Amino acid sequence: MLIIKRILIVLILIISIVLIAAYFMPKEYAVEREITINKPVDSIFNYVKSLKNQNEFSVWANMDPKMKVSYKGNDGAVGSISSWESNVKEVGVGEQEITKITENRRIDFALRFKKPMEDTAVGFMSTEPVSTNQTKVKWGISGVIPYPTNIMLPMLKMDQMIGNDLEKGLENLKDKME
């Protein structure tokens, strides 16, 4: 009986330490990547603001050729939504909605993931002229991992995990545009 009590006390201490550590750990993540493309800013901006076009260069959209995609609203306008449904775990089920457009500068969107787990994030794509025929394109995603699961944030390596896909997507965009 004494051994069981000691084991329980040790377990309670370990759980308490983990919960206290999680309280002080970061809960937010933000990942950004950028690339320079040899095209004028207006042609790139008009291309990337279309949700249908984003599916042409997005790594996630290309992971499952059988993915079901549907669109609502006026594509490339605030309020337009792209929904996807896939049996591939890395793609899952979710939707992306354009929430704000600053013409020739930035598109903001909300990401709502439904499967394999429910989550939300925000993202953006921005375009900035480098010269008359060169544009810097930035793609970013940020979100919050709630307490106490945020204890896993350092182990998830979000910058590497999401960043690699953003980088590959930007390379795909560059190949398409140039």
Side-chain angles (χ1 to χ4, degrees), residues 35 37 39-58 71 75-77 80 82 96-98 100-109 123-128 135-140 166 169-177:
I35 198 165
I37 300 175
K39 285 285 184 183
V41 70
D42 59 338
S43 64
I44 293 179
F45 186 84
N46 288 328
Y47 184 81
V48 299
K49 79 176 183 179
S50 164
L51 295 175
K52 289 177 184 174
N53 289 346
Q54 287 183 23
N55 281 335
E56 295 295 317
F57 61 86
S58 165
Y71 301 94
D75 189 21
S80 62
S82 168
Q96 173 179 333
E97 178 179 0
I98 296 177
K100 183 179 178 185
I101 296 176
T102 306
E103 205 57 44
N104 284 335
R105 300 295 291 164
R106 185 175 163 120
I107 305 127
D108 291 286
F109 44 87
F124 75 89
M125 291 194 83
S126 68
T127 55
E128 179 183 328
T135 304
K136 179 169 46 170
V137 181
K138 252 189 214 181
W139 193 358
L166 293 178
L170 288 170
E171 289 169 8
N172 292 344
L173 175 63
K174 182 177 176 87
D175 290 344
K176 282 205 173 292
M177 296 303 292

Side-chain angles (χ1 to χ4, degrees), residues 59-61 63-64 84 86-93 113 115-116 161 165:
V59 171
W60 301 291
M63 282 183 185
D64 181 9
W84 67 88
S86 170
N87 291 324
V88 174
K89 182 183 164 196
E90 292 81 10
V91 180
V93 177
F113 305 101
K115 287 184 182 179
M161 186 171 62
D165 290 342

